[in-house]
Amino acid sequence: MKGLAVTRRLKPAEIGDAAALLRAGERVAFPTETVYGLGADATSDKAVAGVFEAKNRPSFNPLIVHLPDAAAANELAVFSQDAERLAEAFWPGPMSLVLPLRAGHGLSALVTAGLDTVALRVPSHPLARELLSLVGRPVAAPSANPSGKISPTTAAHVLDGLSGRIAGVLDGGACEVGLESSIFGGDPLRLLRPGGVTAEAAEAVLGHALAQAELSPETPNAPGQLTSHYAPDVGVVLDVSSAGDVPHLGFGPREATRNLSMSGDLIEAATNLFAMLREMDQITAESDADHFTVAPIPGEGLGHAIRDRLSRAAAPRSG
Ligand code: TXA
Ligand code: MG
């Protein structure tokens, strides 16, 4: 790691520079419709190792590989018929598929953490798609935050956590979905991480139920789905219906320090979630309180993914 590196904030017009940096093996953050990703050439051990280093990420945790289209994804992994159906329905978009690697895939073994499967995603954000086409190689990109911290939904969030540790960030404004992609994998398919595409939507496309995911904190469903994640510095207490003595993150038409959605709209709440967790963290740290409270979020549709992220933000910290 170059100690005194300056991180460039690249405008959309400078996308060519972002692509050139990635091709040269540098780390560059870029916007997707879910969250900002920290990109690196997925075929280069050195570039991928730099991502783990910049994020301080346990190296057993594999990364998602980003591609400009499904044809490029098909060169890297073998699609079952069901996986193909989901790809057709939801790519480009907020979904990742964990699939068996194809022989001759050319990816760095660090990307898959030595597994014989790989997580693939075709994002829909126009800047991401253009960047991936310009790079012309698969790009590994975990969320562009220090490991265990809140995922970034703006370029400023990326710089907060990684300034000086990466070559640049391509600034595409705020992310639309605001939650990481849903991850489906296994044969039969199951939901490994709730996200932008709900299980209900996937089942509607498949015409049958997903296999039951074995969810438990002791046996993380995806490697690295560690229980404490998205962690603010202060404490977080969930499912508190109204504002009290400590800062309160609301949902629905009630008084609150910040409100995920006054109208109780889950899509709006997902978009606001990570930025508001950051704000609540700061507001609480500057107050007398040692924690903030969060209103109950209904466990339906996108609410599953929001509740998943909130429960990780509130989980006991392992240190
Ligand atoms: O929306 C997103 O998915 C964002 C944007 C940047 O695309 N990316 C993202 O990546 O969230 P990351 O690295 O923070 O999350 C990757 C997740 C981890 O939980 C990892 O364990 C899981 O995907 N994963 C990756 N490869 C896997 C594999 N072969 N088998 C099982 N899980 C895998
Ligand atoms: Mg992440």
Side-chain angles (χ1 to χ4, degrees):
M1 182 86 30
K2 292 169 220 120
L4 292 171
V6 174
T7 300
R8 286 179 66 191
R9 190 172 187 145
L10 298 158
K11 298 190 197 74
E14 297 172 293
I15 193 166
D17 289 9
L21 285 166
L22 284 169
R23 290 181 63 90
E26 296 284 348
R27 300 171 292 271
V28 179
F30 62 97
T32 81
E33 70 278 19
T34 59
V35 300
Y36 274 72
L38 176 54
D41 179 349
T43 65
S44 158
D45 284 338
K46 191 155 168 270
V48 175
V51 166
F52 288 110
E53 193 183 7
K55 278 182 64 88
N56 242 329
R57 177 162 172 145
S59 53
F60 55 77
N61 191 352
L63 307 178
I64 297 177
V65 174
H66 295 65
L67 302 148
D69 50 46
N74 200 46
E75 288 174 22
L76 300 178
V78 182
F79 285 66
S80 67
Q81 208 173 55
D82 275 352
E84 216 161 86
R85 285 198 184 107
L86 292 188
E88 251 166 51
F90 300 114
W91 277 351
M95 177 190 73
S96 300
L97 292 171
V98 173
L99 303 168
L101 278 164
R102 207 180 267 294
H105 55 78
L107 297 171
S108 160
L110 288 172
V111 169
T112 57
L115 299 171
D116 51 17
T117 55
V118 62
L120 301 178
R121 174 155 122 79
V122 177
S124 64
H125 194 293
L127 281 179
R129 300 198 75 190
E130 192 184 341
L131 182 67
L132 293 167
S133 302
L134 288 172
V135 174
R137 293 179 202 155
V139 171
S143 50
N145 51 281
S147 195
K149 296 296 185 183
I150 301 169
S151 297
T153 53
T154 67
H157 294 165
V158 174
L159 291 169
D160 270 354
L162 297 176
S163 186
R165 302 178 71 84
I166 62 177
V169 52
L170 181 61
D171 190 347
C175 301
E176 224 185 334
V177 177
L179 291 176
E180 294 85 350
S181 61
S182 304
I183 306 180
F184 298 96
D187 196 4
L189 283 176
R190 49 196 192 109
L191 178 64
L192 302 177
R193 177 176 74 181
V197 170
T198 63
E200 294 90 323
E203 288 177 342
V205 164
L206 295 173
H208 61 79
L210 291 160
Q212 200 56 41
E214 294 130 45
L215 278 172
S216 109
E218 284 73 38
T219 52
N221 51 345
Q225 288 276 78
L226 309 173
T227 306
S228 172
H229 209 89
Y230 312 100
D233 291 327
V234 302
V236 184
V237 175
L238 304 182
D239 293 320
V240 175
S241 310
S242 56
D245 296 337
V246 302
H248 182 65
L249 179 58
F251 177 79
R254 293 196 117 150
E255 201 174 307
T257 314
R258 289 287 182 277
N259 202 311
L260 289 169
S261 170
M262 279 296 271
S263 63
D265 175 22
L266 288 167
I267 296 173
E268 184 184 12
T271 307
N272 286 333
L273 180 68
F274 288 142
M276 287 191 177
L277 283 178
R278 283 169 190 267
E279 283 188 86
M280 293 299 294
D281 194 14
Q282 197 173 351
I283 291 166
T284 308
E286 286 164 3
S287 77
D288 293 336
D290 63 356
H291 71 281
F292 63 87
T293 56
V294 185
I297 307 294
E300 59 190 53
L302 263 187
H304 288 297
I306 297 172
R307 291 184 64 85
D308 169 75
R309 303 309 188 274
L310 282 172
S311 63
R312 290 168 201 280
R317 316 289 154 78
S318 45

